[in-house]
Short mmCIF file of all heavy atoms in Angstrom, two decimals:
data_model
loop_
_atom_site.label_atom_id
_atom_site.label_comp_id
_atom_site.label_asym_id
_atom_site.label_seq_id
_atom_site.Cartn_x
_atom_site.Cartn_y
_atom_site.Cartn_z
N LYS A 100 230.35 -146.14 146.23
CA LYS A 100 229.80 -146.80 145.04
C LYS A 100 230.74 -146.57 143.84
O LYS A 100 231.61 -145.72 143.85
CB LYS A 100 228.43 -146.28 144.72
CG LYS A 100 227.34 -146.57 145.72
CD LYS A 100 226.03 -146.20 145.25
CE LYS A 100 224.94 -146.63 146.32
NZ LYS A 100 223.50 -146.34 145.83
N GLU A 101 230.46 -147.42 142.86
CA GLU A 101 231.35 -147.32 141.65
C GLU A 101 230.82 -146.21 140.78
O GLU A 101 229.74 -145.74 140.93
CB GLU A 101 231.23 -148.64 140.81
CG GLU A 101 231.91 -149.82 141.55
CD GLU A 101 231.92 -151.05 140.63
OE1 GLU A 101 231.36 -151.02 139.56
OE2 GLU A 101 232.59 -152.02 141.07
N ARG A 102 231.76 -145.69 139.90
CA ARG A 102 231.43 -144.65 138.98
C ARG A 102 230.43 -145.13 138.05
O ARG A 102 230.51 -146.26 137.47
CB ARG A 102 232.68 -144.08 138.36
CG ARG A 102 232.53 -142.86 137.56
CD ARG A 102 233.89 -142.28 137.15
NE ARG A 102 234.62 -141.91 138.26
CZ ARG A 102 235.80 -141.26 138.13
NH1 ARG A 102 236.28 -140.90 136.99
NH2 ARG A 102 236.49 -140.99 139.27
N GLU A 103 229.42 -144.40 137.67
CA GLU A 103 228.34 -144.79 136.73
C GLU A 103 228.12 -143.78 135.63
O GLU A 103 228.20 -142.59 135.90
CB GLU A 103 227.10 -145.09 137.46
CG GLU A 103 226.38 -143.89 138.13
CD GLU A 103 225.05 -144.28 138.75
OE1 GLU A 103 224.56 -145.46 138.67
OE2 GLU A 103 224.48 -143.31 139.35
N PHE A 104 227.74 -144.23 134.51
CA PHE A 104 227.36 -143.45 133.42
C PHE A 104 226.16 -142.65 133.60
O PHE A 104 225.17 -143.12 134.26
CB PHE A 104 227.16 -144.30 132.27
CG PHE A 104 226.52 -143.62 131.00
CD1 PHE A 104 227.39 -142.77 130.20
CD2 PHE A 104 225.24 -143.75 130.64
CE1 PHE A 104 226.77 -142.14 129.13
CE2 PHE A 104 224.66 -143.09 129.57
CZ PHE A 104 225.51 -142.30 128.85
N VAL A 105 226.07 -141.37 133.25
CA VAL A 105 224.91 -140.55 133.37
C VAL A 105 224.39 -140.09 132.01
O VAL A 105 223.17 -140.37 131.72
CB VAL A 105 225.25 -139.27 134.24
CG1 VAL A 105 224.12 -138.29 134.21
CG2 VAL A 105 225.70 -139.63 135.62
N ALA A 106 225.23 -139.49 131.23
CA ALA A 106 224.77 -139.00 129.88
C ALA A 106 225.93 -138.81 129.03
O ALA A 106 227.12 -138.66 129.40
CB ALA A 106 223.93 -137.78 130.02
N ALA A 107 225.74 -138.82 127.69
CA ALA A 107 226.74 -138.54 126.73
C ALA A 107 226.20 -137.95 125.47
O ALA A 107 225.03 -137.99 125.12
CB ALA A 107 227.43 -139.80 126.34
N ILE A 108 227.10 -137.14 124.71
CA ILE A 108 226.71 -136.48 123.53
C ILE A 108 227.93 -136.54 122.59
O ILE A 108 229.07 -136.39 123.02
CB ILE A 108 226.30 -135.08 123.80
CG1 ILE A 108 225.74 -134.37 122.56
CG2 ILE A 108 227.46 -134.24 124.45
CD1 ILE A 108 225.03 -133.06 122.80
N SER A 109 227.65 -136.75 121.29
CA SER A 109 228.65 -136.72 120.31
C SER A 109 228.79 -135.31 119.79
O SER A 109 227.89 -134.70 119.45
CB SER A 109 228.23 -137.70 119.12
OG SER A 109 229.06 -137.39 118.02
N TRP A 110 230.10 -134.93 119.79
CA TRP A 110 230.30 -133.58 119.26
C TRP A 110 230.07 -133.54 117.80
O TRP A 110 229.73 -132.51 117.21
CB TRP A 110 231.78 -133.21 119.55
CG TRP A 110 231.94 -131.65 119.63
CD1 TRP A 110 232.29 -130.84 118.70
CD2 TRP A 110 231.81 -130.87 120.80
NE1 TRP A 110 232.40 -129.57 119.20
CE2 TRP A 110 232.07 -129.59 120.44
CE3 TRP A 110 231.47 -131.17 122.11
CZ2 TRP A 110 232.08 -128.55 121.40
CZ3 TRP A 110 231.47 -130.20 123.05
CH2 TRP A 110 231.67 -128.89 122.70
N ARG A 111 230.25 -134.65 117.06
CA ARG A 111 230.02 -134.69 115.62
C ARG A 111 228.67 -134.62 115.18
O ARG A 111 228.25 -133.85 114.35
CB ARG A 111 230.81 -135.86 115.15
CG ARG A 111 230.83 -136.01 113.58
CD ARG A 111 231.52 -137.23 113.10
NE ARG A 111 230.95 -138.53 113.67
CZ ARG A 111 229.90 -139.15 113.00
NH1 ARG A 111 229.42 -138.57 111.96
NH2 ARG A 111 229.45 -140.15 113.61
N ASP A 112 227.88 -135.57 115.75
CA ASP A 112 226.47 -135.66 115.16
C ASP A 112 225.38 -135.50 116.13
O ASP A 112 224.25 -135.77 115.88
CB ASP A 112 226.34 -137.10 114.50
CG ASP A 112 226.45 -138.25 115.50
OD1 ASP A 112 226.55 -138.04 116.70
OD2 ASP A 112 226.37 -139.39 115.01
N PHE A 113 225.73 -135.06 117.35
CA PHE A 113 224.69 -134.73 118.36
C PHE A 113 223.91 -135.98 118.87
O PHE A 113 222.91 -135.79 119.51
CB PHE A 113 223.73 -133.72 117.86
CG PHE A 113 224.28 -132.34 117.65
CD1 PHE A 113 224.79 -131.93 116.43
CD2 PHE A 113 224.21 -131.37 118.64
CE1 PHE A 113 225.26 -130.69 116.18
CE2 PHE A 113 224.70 -130.11 118.45
CZ PHE A 113 225.31 -129.78 117.21
N SER A 114 224.38 -137.17 118.59
CA SER A 114 223.71 -138.27 119.12
C SER A 114 223.93 -138.32 120.66
O SER A 114 224.90 -137.86 121.15
CB SER A 114 224.31 -139.50 118.50
OG SER A 114 225.72 -139.63 118.72
N ILE A 115 222.93 -138.77 121.37
CA ILE A 115 222.84 -138.67 122.80
C ILE A 115 222.39 -139.92 123.40
O ILE A 115 221.57 -140.70 122.83
CB ILE A 115 221.88 -137.47 123.17
CG1 ILE A 115 222.45 -136.14 122.86
CG2 ILE A 115 221.44 -137.59 124.68
CD1 ILE A 115 221.50 -134.97 123.13
N SER A 116 222.83 -140.16 124.72
CA SER A 116 222.42 -141.35 125.43
C SER A 116 222.29 -140.86 126.88
O SER A 116 223.04 -140.01 127.36
CB SER A 116 223.38 -142.48 125.29
OG SER A 116 222.99 -143.61 126.16
N TYR A 117 221.34 -141.47 127.60
CA TYR A 117 221.14 -141.16 128.98
C TYR A 117 221.03 -142.55 129.74
O TYR A 117 220.50 -143.57 129.25
CB TYR A 117 219.84 -140.38 129.22
CG TYR A 117 219.83 -139.12 128.79
CD1 TYR A 117 219.19 -138.66 127.56
CD2 TYR A 117 220.38 -137.89 129.40
CE1 TYR A 117 219.16 -137.44 127.06
CE2 TYR A 117 220.37 -136.67 128.95
CZ TYR A 117 219.74 -136.38 127.74
OH TYR A 117 219.75 -135.14 127.22
N ALA A 118 221.42 -142.48 131.00
CA ALA A 118 221.12 -143.62 131.86
C ALA A 118 219.68 -143.65 132.18
O ALA A 118 218.97 -142.60 132.25
CB ALA A 118 221.93 -143.51 133.14
N ASP A 119 219.16 -144.81 132.35
CA ASP A 119 217.70 -144.93 132.72
C ASP A 119 217.32 -144.15 133.86
O ASP A 119 216.28 -143.56 133.93
CB ASP A 119 217.37 -146.37 132.89
CG ASP A 119 217.45 -147.27 131.57
OD1 ASP A 119 217.46 -146.61 130.52
OD2 ASP A 119 217.48 -148.47 131.64
N SER A 120 218.21 -143.97 134.85
CA SER A 120 217.95 -143.45 136.08
C SER A 120 217.75 -141.89 135.95
O SER A 120 217.17 -141.29 136.91
CB SER A 120 218.98 -143.77 137.14
OG SER A 120 220.25 -143.27 136.72
N VAL A 121 218.26 -141.35 134.96
CA VAL A 121 218.21 -139.87 134.83
C VAL A 121 217.33 -139.45 133.59
O VAL A 121 217.06 -138.27 133.39
CB VAL A 121 219.59 -139.29 134.68
CG1 VAL A 121 220.42 -139.68 135.84
CG2 VAL A 121 220.21 -139.52 133.35
N GLN A 122 216.93 -140.42 132.80
CA GLN A 122 216.03 -140.13 131.61
C GLN A 122 214.90 -139.25 131.93
O GLN A 122 214.22 -139.60 132.85
CB GLN A 122 215.68 -141.40 130.95
CG GLN A 122 214.93 -141.21 129.67
CD GLN A 122 215.76 -140.90 128.52
OE1 GLN A 122 216.77 -141.50 128.29
NE2 GLN A 122 215.39 -139.98 127.66
N GLY A 123 214.74 -138.24 131.24
CA GLY A 123 213.60 -137.26 131.53
C GLY A 123 213.86 -136.28 132.61
O GLY A 123 213.08 -135.29 132.68
N ARG A 124 214.86 -136.34 133.31
CA ARG A 124 215.26 -135.42 134.40
C ARG A 124 216.53 -134.60 134.00
O ARG A 124 216.66 -133.48 134.43
CB ARG A 124 215.44 -136.09 135.67
CG ARG A 124 214.22 -136.79 136.25
CD ARG A 124 214.37 -137.24 137.61
NE ARG A 124 215.51 -138.19 137.81
CZ ARG A 124 216.57 -138.02 138.59
NH1 ARG A 124 216.69 -136.91 139.31
NH2 ARG A 124 217.50 -138.91 138.71
N PHE A 125 217.47 -135.23 133.32
CA PHE A 125 218.75 -134.63 133.00
C PHE A 125 218.74 -134.41 131.50
O PHE A 125 218.16 -135.11 130.73
CB PHE A 125 219.88 -135.57 133.29
CG PHE A 125 220.15 -135.73 134.71
CD1 PHE A 125 219.25 -135.33 135.69
CD2 PHE A 125 221.35 -136.32 135.18
CE1 PHE A 125 219.45 -135.51 137.07
CE2 PHE A 125 221.67 -136.46 136.52
CZ PHE A 125 220.73 -136.07 137.45
N THR A 126 219.33 -133.27 131.09
CA THR A 126 219.50 -132.97 129.72
C THR A 126 220.98 -132.51 129.35
O THR A 126 221.47 -131.65 130.07
CB THR A 126 218.61 -131.76 129.32
OG1 THR A 126 217.29 -132.12 129.59
CG2 THR A 126 218.74 -131.41 127.82
N ILE A 127 221.56 -133.21 128.46
CA ILE A 127 222.90 -132.90 128.01
C ILE A 127 222.87 -132.06 126.75
O ILE A 127 222.04 -132.34 125.88
CB ILE A 127 223.87 -134.18 127.84
CG1 ILE A 127 225.21 -133.86 127.68
CG2 ILE A 127 223.28 -135.09 126.77
CD1 ILE A 127 226.17 -135.11 127.80
N SER A 128 223.80 -131.16 126.66
CA SER A 128 223.89 -130.38 125.49
C SER A 128 225.36 -129.90 125.34
O SER A 128 226.18 -130.06 126.23
CB SER A 128 222.96 -129.09 125.56
OG SER A 128 223.32 -128.34 126.63
N ARG A 129 225.59 -129.25 124.16
CA ARG A 129 226.99 -128.70 124.00
C ARG A 129 226.90 -127.28 123.44
O ARG A 129 225.96 -126.94 122.68
CB ARG A 129 227.85 -129.60 123.14
CG ARG A 129 227.42 -129.69 121.65
CD ARG A 129 228.41 -130.42 120.94
NE ARG A 129 228.11 -130.66 119.52
CZ ARG A 129 228.39 -129.77 118.59
NH1 ARG A 129 228.93 -128.55 118.90
NH2 ARG A 129 228.13 -129.95 117.34
N ASP A 130 227.85 -126.48 123.77
CA ASP A 130 228.00 -125.18 123.31
C ASP A 130 229.25 -125.02 122.54
O ASP A 130 230.37 -124.99 123.14
CB ASP A 130 227.97 -124.19 124.47
CG ASP A 130 227.97 -122.71 124.03
OD1 ASP A 130 228.49 -122.47 123.03
OD2 ASP A 130 227.37 -121.81 124.86
N SER A 131 229.20 -125.08 121.19
CA SER A 131 230.39 -125.09 120.40
C SER A 131 231.23 -123.77 120.54
O SER A 131 232.42 -123.84 120.53
CB SER A 131 229.93 -125.34 118.94
OG SER A 131 229.31 -126.49 118.71
N ALA A 132 230.47 -122.76 120.67
CA ALA A 132 231.21 -121.45 120.78
C ALA A 132 232.08 -121.41 122.03
O ALA A 132 233.20 -120.75 121.92
CB ALA A 132 230.27 -120.25 120.82
N LYS A 133 231.65 -121.99 123.07
CA LYS A 133 232.35 -121.94 124.33
C LYS A 133 233.16 -123.19 124.56
O LYS A 133 233.83 -123.32 125.54
CB LYS A 133 231.48 -121.69 125.55
CG LYS A 133 230.78 -120.38 125.49
CD LYS A 133 229.88 -120.20 126.69
CE LYS A 133 229.17 -118.89 126.78
NZ LYS A 133 228.28 -118.76 128.00
N ASN A 134 233.05 -124.20 123.64
CA ASN A 134 233.64 -125.49 123.92
C ASN A 134 233.28 -126.11 125.20
O ASN A 134 234.20 -126.57 125.98
CB ASN A 134 235.19 -125.32 123.81
CG ASN A 134 235.76 -126.24 122.68
OD1 ASN A 134 235.14 -126.56 121.70
ND2 ASN A 134 237.06 -126.75 122.90
N GLU A 135 232.02 -126.05 125.50
CA GLU A 135 231.50 -126.57 126.78
C GLU A 135 230.49 -127.65 126.52
O GLU A 135 229.69 -127.62 125.52
CB GLU A 135 230.87 -125.45 127.55
CG GLU A 135 231.86 -124.52 128.12
CD GLU A 135 231.21 -123.51 129.02
OE1 GLU A 135 229.98 -123.37 129.07
OE2 GLU A 135 231.91 -122.76 129.83
N VAL A 136 230.37 -128.51 127.46
CA VAL A 136 229.30 -129.45 127.58
C VAL A 136 228.48 -129.24 128.79
O VAL A 136 229.12 -129.05 129.89
CB VAL A 136 229.86 -131.00 127.59
CG1 VAL A 136 228.66 -132.00 127.70
CG2 VAL A 136 230.59 -131.26 126.27
N LEU A 137 227.24 -129.15 128.67
CA LEU A 137 226.41 -128.78 129.78
C LEU A 137 225.46 -129.97 130.18
O LEU A 137 225.12 -130.82 129.38
CB LEU A 137 225.48 -127.63 129.40
CG LEU A 137 226.22 -126.36 128.87
CD1 LEU A 137 225.22 -125.40 128.32
CD2 LEU A 137 227.11 -125.81 129.82
N LEU A 138 225.18 -130.00 131.53
CA LEU A 138 224.28 -131.08 132.00
C LEU A 138 223.26 -130.35 132.78
O LEU A 138 223.67 -129.93 133.94
CB LEU A 138 224.97 -132.11 132.75
CG LEU A 138 224.16 -133.31 133.18
CD1 LEU A 138 223.65 -134.14 131.94
CD2 LEU A 138 224.87 -134.21 134.16
N GLN A 139 222.11 -130.19 132.40
CA GLN A 139 221.00 -129.59 133.14
C GLN A 139 220.37 -130.79 133.91
O GLN A 139 219.87 -131.75 133.37
CB GLN A 139 219.98 -128.93 132.28
CG GLN A 139 218.84 -128.30 132.94
CD GLN A 139 219.25 -127.08 133.82
OE1 GLN A 139 219.96 -126.27 133.41
NE2 GLN A 139 218.64 -126.96 135.02
N ILE A 140 220.38 -130.65 135.26
CA ILE A 140 219.88 -131.66 136.11
C ILE A 140 218.67 -131.14 136.89
O ILE A 140 218.83 -130.11 137.61
CB ILE A 140 220.88 -132.32 137.02
CG1 ILE A 140 221.69 -131.32 137.82
CG2 ILE A 140 222.03 -133.10 136.16
CD1 ILE A 140 222.77 -131.82 138.72
N SER A 141 217.59 -131.80 136.82
CA SER A 141 216.34 -131.23 137.38
C SER A 141 215.62 -132.39 138.17
O SER A 141 216.06 -133.53 138.06
CB SER A 141 215.32 -130.83 136.26
OG SER A 141 215.93 -129.85 135.49
N SER A 142 214.59 -131.97 139.00
CA SER A 142 213.96 -132.87 139.75
C SER A 142 214.81 -133.82 140.67
O SER A 142 214.69 -135.04 140.61
CB SER A 142 213.05 -133.84 138.94
OG SER A 142 212.12 -132.95 138.20
N LEU A 143 215.85 -133.12 141.29
CA LEU A 143 216.86 -133.89 141.85
C LEU A 143 216.40 -134.72 143.06
O LEU A 143 215.47 -134.36 143.72
CB LEU A 143 218.00 -132.93 142.30
CG LEU A 143 218.88 -132.46 141.15
CD1 LEU A 143 219.68 -131.20 141.63
CD2 LEU A 143 219.94 -133.59 140.87
N LYS A 144 217.01 -135.81 143.30
CA LYS A 144 216.68 -136.77 144.33
C LYS A 144 217.95 -136.92 145.14
O LYS A 144 219.09 -136.84 144.67
CB LYS A 144 216.26 -138.12 143.79
CG LYS A 144 215.08 -138.10 142.77
CD LYS A 144 214.81 -139.37 142.12
CE LYS A 144 213.79 -139.41 141.07
NZ LYS A 144 213.42 -140.67 140.48
N PRO A 145 217.80 -137.31 146.46
CA PRO A 145 218.95 -137.57 147.20
C PRO A 145 219.88 -138.59 146.64
O PRO A 145 221.09 -138.48 146.85
CB PRO A 145 218.32 -138.12 148.55
CG PRO A 145 217.03 -137.47 148.64
CD PRO A 145 216.51 -137.37 147.17
N GLU A 146 219.38 -139.57 145.92
CA GLU A 146 220.24 -140.53 145.33
C GLU A 146 221.01 -140.01 144.18
O GLU A 146 221.88 -140.73 143.55
CB GLU A 146 219.41 -141.84 144.84
CG GLU A 146 218.26 -141.54 144.01
CD GLU A 146 216.97 -141.38 144.76
OE1 GLU A 146 216.96 -140.80 145.96
OE2 GLU A 146 215.93 -141.89 144.31
#
């Protein structure tokens, strides 16, 4: 399959977007101290 968008976060203003397919199950966040972007993925499905 083609690559698809999952989630995004702005480093500047924390604005966030999710794909409809993951809304409510995935959470994106950032850790400024570690310069990391995290994606917590829950209620995982085979798809």
Side-chain angles (χ1 to χ4, degrees):
K100 295 188 177 181
E101 293 187 354
R102 191 169 297 187
E103 64 175 358
F104 169 77
V105 174
I108 187 168
S109 165
W110 207 268
R111 181 181 62 84
D112 66 4
F113 291 91
S114 52
I115 285 175
S116 176
Y117 294 101
D119 290 343
S120 59
V121 307
Q122 182 79 44
R124 299 189 298 122
F125 290 15
T126 302
I127 190 170
S128 61
R129 66 172 180 85
D130 185 331
S131 298
K133 296 182 178 180
N134 237 29
E135 289 184 346
V136 178
L137 306 173
L138 186 68
Q139 179 70 40
I140 53 179
S141 305
S142 303
L143 282 162
K144 306 175 182 180
E146 52 263 42

